[in-house]
Amino acid sequence: ARGNDPASFNGKWQSAVKKTPGAWEVELALPWSQMGIPPPPAGTMLRVNLGRGRRAGVASEFCSWSPTVKGFVEPENFGYWTFQ
């Protein structure tokens, strides 16, 4: 996101979702230019995580790509992406 207000981000991006009986998959294409930063050079490693929260009636579901302990924002528990 640009600046210090991630909630204000409204970039141009594309997505696709596939749900199967035991899993769901998401594909996201978000150009670096939409985030206002240059693409990282090949070999750059970043710590990242993707999380999903869903409320279904009175129950809530939370899951993330890289497991966390207390919540989604735990950089010490994020996984790594290496850019090609």
Side-chain angles (χ1 to χ4, degrees), residues 20-43:
T20 62
W24 55 273
E25 299 174 19
V26 176
E27 181 178 343
L28 177 67
L30 175 61
W32 291 102
S33 61
Q34 290 293 303
M35 294 185 284
I37 56 177

Side-chain angles (χ1 to χ4, degrees), residues 52-77:
R52 173 184 180 256
R54 176 179 175 260
R55 228 176 261 280
V58 295
S60 296
E61 297 176 356
F62 299 95
C63 58
S64 60
W65 170 73
S66 185
T68 56
V69 179
K70 296 178 184 176
F72 290 139
V73 185
E74 299 175 7
E76 67 276 11
N77 293 319

